[in-house]
Amino acid sequence: MRVIAGKYGSRPLKTIAGNQTRPTTDKVKEAMFNMLGHYFQGGICLDFYGGSGALAIEAVSRGMDQAVIVEKAYPAQEIIRRNIEMTKEPERFNLLRGHNRKQLSQYMVGKDQSFDLVFLDPPYAKEMIVDDIIWLDQANYLNETCQILCETGIEVSLPQEIGNFKQEKLKKYGQTLVWIFERE
C-alpha cells in the first residue's frame, strides 16, 4: 500500500498483518478519490474506523488541511501512528484511541468545527453505517457540504436516504462497494 497522489504521493504505508482490518487496495482507494473529485481545497476530514489511516492520509495528501482518525484496536493505532510519522507533518493529524463515538465526543468538546469529509469503513461483520451517519449528523459534527464516503462489501445494501443525507454515487469494485452520500 502507498499514498496514491498529492503531497505524500508514492510514499509507502504500513498495514496490519492478519484479518483484523481490511486495508483498502490502492486501486479502490484511487477510484474512491476519483469519485470525490481528486483534490481538495482545504477542510477537515474524519476517518471514523481508522484501520491503517490510509484514507485520512490520502485526503490530507490531496489537500485537506487536517484529519481526525479514530481507532479502537491497539495494533492498528500503532500502524496509524507510524503512517502519520511517515508524512513528516504529524500536526495535521489527530489520532483518537478507543471507541469511536466516545472518543470523538470527547475530542469535539469546546471545538467550533465540523467535518467536510467523512470516511465510514467499518469491519464488514459490524456494519454500523446508517447509525453512524445519523449519530454524526445529530451531534452536529457534519457541515452543510459534508460528503460521506462509505466502503462496504457487496452483500451490504444501504438505503438511498439516511437521515438528512442522500446517496449521490455508488460504484462496485470487485467485492467492494463505494457509496457517497451528501446532504439533501
Side-chain angles (χ1 to χ4, degrees):
M1 266 183 36
R2 64 188 173 89
V3 178
I4 305 294
K7 187 174 189 175
Y8 315 135
S10 298
R11 295 187 194 178
L13 292 167
K14 301 194 179 313
T15 60
I16 298 172
N19 60 1
Q20 296 289 24
T21 62
R22 290 173 295 94
T24 302
T25 66
D26 286 353
K27 180 181 175 183
V28 172
K29 186 168 44 171
E30 186 168 13
M32 288 175 164
F33 283 90
N34 288 341
M35 289 172 67
L36 289 168
H38 300 287
Y39 293 94
F40 306 102
Q41 299 295 320
I44 304 171
C45 75
L46 168 66
D47 191 344
F48 208 45
Y49 296 89
S52 67
L55 295 176
I57 291 169
E58 187 76 34
V60 171
S61 181
R62 292 174 183 246
M64 282 280 166
D65 294 319
Q66 290 183 302
V68 174
I69 306 168
V70 190
E71 179 54 54
K72 184 166 72 171
Y74 179 77
Q77 293 169 8
E78 286 306 299
I79 293 294
I80 293 167
R81 185 187 59 73
R82 291 169 64 192
N83 284 337
I84 288 171
E85 284 177 3
M86 169 278 305
T87 70
K88 308 257 189 280
E89 295 183 311
E91 68 280 1
R92 297 182 73 187
F93 300 89
N94 289 292
L95 173 57
L96 309 181
R97 300 167 188 256
H99 184 270
N100 54 12
R101 292 185 188 190
K102 179 181 178 186
Q103 293 304 314
L104 186 61
S105 293
Q106 290 174 355
Y107 172 80
M108 294 297 282
V109 170
K111 291 202 175 18
D112 184 28
Q113 71 181 36
S114 56
F115 296 101
D116 301 283
L117 174 63
V118 174
F119 297 107
L120 294 177
D121 182 13
Y124 287 163
K126 299 178 182 173
E127 296 301 339
M128 296 285 300
I129 289 172
V130 172
D131 290 343
D132 286 340
I133 291 174
I134 291 169
W135 182 82
L136 288 164
D137 194 31
Q138 288 177 347
N140 294 316
Y141 296 156
L142 310 177
N143 71 27
E144 288 302 312
T145 59
C146 183
Q147 291 182 299
I148 302 171
L149 186 144
C150 309
E151 182 180 351
T152 70
I154 58 172
E155 70 283 352
V156 174
S157 178
L158 295 175
Q160 291 278 326
E161 295 181 8
I162 302 174
N164 296 313
F165 286 81
K166 179 180 176 187
Q167 177 190 316
E168 292 296 325
K169 296 179 184 174
L170 171 61
K171 299 256 181 170
K172 180 182 177 214
Y173 301 98
Q175 298 297 305
T176 301
L177 292 176
V178 177
W179 315 70
I180 295 181
F181 288 87
E182 295 178 358
R183 197 176 293 280
E184 292 188 76

